Amino acid sequence: MASTTAFFTGLSGLNANARNLDVIGNNIANVNTTAFKSNRMLFSSQFSRTFSIGSIPSADSGGTNPGQIGLGVAIAGTQRDFSSGALSTTGDQRDLAIEGNGFFIVNRAGSQHYTRAGAFRQNSENDLVNVSGDRVQGYSVDSDFNIVPGRLGDLNIPIGQLTLAQATRNVRFTGNLNANGTLPTHGTHVDLDPLTLVSGPIPPSGDALETTSLLVDINDPTNTGNPMFIAGQVLELNNAEKGNRTIPTAQLAITATTTVQDFMDFLTQALGINTTASPNPDGGIPGVSLDPVTGVLSVTGNTGTVNNIGLGSSDLRVLDAAGTVLGSPLVTTTPTQADGESIRTTFVAYDSLGTPINVDLAMVLDSRSATGTTWRYFVESPDDTDLNLAVGTGTVDFDSSGQLSTATPITITIDRDNTGAMTPLSIDLSLASQTGSVTALTDTGSSLAATFQDGSQIGTLASFAVGPDGIISGAFTNGLTRTIGQVALANFANPGGLVDVGSNLFSTGPNSGTAVVAAPGSLGAGRVVGGALELSNVDLSQEFINLILTSTGYSASSRVITTTDQLMQQLLVLGR
């Protein structure tokens, strides 16, 4: 006799295979969806109707097996395949893919979601977002561009807005100093015509002038009986030269209390004469001195042709309070010029605000001996904020093979007072490095050049790239590269327990476990591949086979129903 149970058994087959068709159709539809993870449906048998549970063997019987009739099929559940899909290179560094385990973390309206789809872009606020506008989460950096781990936040990449400058800390040089060059004998010697007083305190007997004498009391030789200077005027050094380079213009404000010593200090500093250097070979002491008996001011420069001072009478001029040139009453003569083998090079450094600073490094042959040569360095900077051009001096020794006896850098400091930058600016000048060193070998002349300096002027963030460890490196227009963030990944003990919420996003489920957030490459998380996207892991050939099998199962279940119906009809015919 036909049984109505067979109807429901066939119906369960139709329902199960129809749902399986939904799963297969969804997989096929998402064959081109970025980072899509295929799903599969699993079936299980329904409860069985048991006629007998069987019996055990005995002396008269071999035992019987259970007698049961199944009641159809049920959907046991679905399983998602989280194996990695193939990676497709896009060339756009904003596209990211994960090679290995893990999920990108995104923030949607305050809730965390997880995805493998890394088609990210920046929004109008420079936040990194996915196509749905969910903000990508990661680690930010502090003011020194160091990653701040453990604190998730929105990743912001301010292209065209973030600016950066870097102070120069290290400069490297290369070249050769001519060890067979001419030894110096003297520095520049410049005399100013004798100065006498027209008024004021009378100097001691036999003296024409004292360092304490006031400038407003000095006689004007072009207009005898009248003072050369009047309070409120300005004495300007203009167009003087040093080693064929123009010395920056400097001014001394003349007041009623300005002394000859003030004028001497002004000349010494404005001309960049380093007074801490040892006396010149001829016994001259670098600086400005006064012969009180004759009233002659003498300027003695440092040795080396690059330190030769060109100071003409027209280079010292007097200006009134309005800046009008009144004349050049100070007459100069230069009986001696500086000599000695020397070389000078200029390099550009940068302070903490990115302001360019010109610095001169001069090397002057100091002495020769059986053990090698000694050279004196002179460092000057017109951008030092005080009047003094001279920044530093000292000596370096080269052995008999022409190599530096010590690789210790020369440390200089440049004042940056009242510029807004950090002050002083400290720079290490290295004459020896792995890439090149300064030597002291015989040559036709000396050469010296800066080959590297690590400072930079202001630059704007122009582009970025993401490394395998998730580090976001920003490239600035000034050539600097800085870490501006790090992409974080989440890993789960059971990724199959995640809940699909659509838009390529997942949320945690009861059986997924808690998200373990870490940097890529740590705690089981995979590595990040920039400029690539993960493709769908749907296997079309397998899906088509499953489609055929499901179609066959659906058709077979429908035949069960039609056959049962036919039997029922036959039974009804017997009742007529």
Side-chain angles (χ1 to χ4, degrees), residues 21 50 111 188 202 222 241 256 270 313 380 453 518:
L21 188 61
T50 302
S111 298
T188 306
I202 299 175
T222 64
E241 293 184 346
S313 300
E380 298 178 4
Q453 62 90 7

Side-chain angles (χ1 to χ4, degrees), residues 148 150 185 310 406 437 496 540 569:
V148 182
T185 58
T406 176
S437 301
L540 274 180
Q569 294 299 324

Side-chain angles (χ1 to χ4, degrees), residues 75-162:
I75 298 173
T78 58
Q79 288 182 337
R80 191 173 296 275
D81 179 10
F82 276 99
S83 62
S84 298
L87 300 186
S88 174
T89 302
T90 66
D92 192 323
Q93 290 300 317
R94 296 172 295 181
D95 290 331
L96 305 178
I98 301 174
E99 189 175 69
N101 298 326
F103 297 81
F104 297 113
I105 308 169
V106 296
N107 186 332
R108 170 178 285 187
S111 298
Q112 284 189 1
H113 291 79
Y114 312 93
T115 182
R116 296 274 298 192
F120 302 135
R121 294 295 183 269
Q122 294 129 284
N123 63 9
S124 60
E125 298 178 348
N126 289 312
D127 292 327
L128 200 62
V129 299
N130 63 9
V131 292
S132 300
D134 308 317
R135 290 177 169 85
V136 182
Q137 302 294 285
Y139 304 127
S140 59
V141 295
D142 59 21
S143 58
D144 294 323
F145 297 98
N146 297 313
I147 294 293
V148 182
R151 188 174 64 191
L152 278 181
D154 300 340
L155 287 177
N156 187 272
I157 306 175
I159 297 291
Q161 298 182 19
L162 180 62

Side-chain angles (χ1 to χ4, degrees), residues 196-204 208-210 212-219 225 227 256:
T196 59
L197 296 176
V198 69
S199 62
I202 299 175
L209 197 68
E210 294 291 323
T212 56
S213 299
L214 301 177
L215 291 188
V216 293
D217 293 336
I218 294 178
N219 182 57

Side-chain angles (χ1 to χ4, degrees), residues 366-452:
D366 191 70
S367 64
R368 275 193 293 262
S369 67
T371 58
T373 58
T374 298
W375 294 73
R376 177 169 288 277
Y377 64 84
F378 296 91
V379 183
E380 298 178 4
S381 176
D383 295 310
D384 190 275
T385 50
D386 58 29
L387 177 63
N388 198 355
L389 285 178
V391 172
T393 187
T395 58
V396 291
D397 296 322
F398 293 83
D399 60 24
S400 56
S401 297
Q403 306 301 311
L404 273 169
S405 297
T406 176
T408 303
I410 300 169
T411 300
I412 62 172
T413 56
I414 300 175
D415 294 328
R416 300 298 294 156
D417 295 329
N418 301 319
T419 64
M422 296 177 62
T423 187
L425 172 63
S426 179
I427 305 175
D428 287 339
L429 310 182
S430 298
L431 302 182
S433 66
Q434 295 181 346
T435 57
S437 301
V438 177
T439 57
L441 304 171
T442 299
D443 202 347
T444 56
S446 297
S447 61
L448 185 65
T451 58
F452 167 82

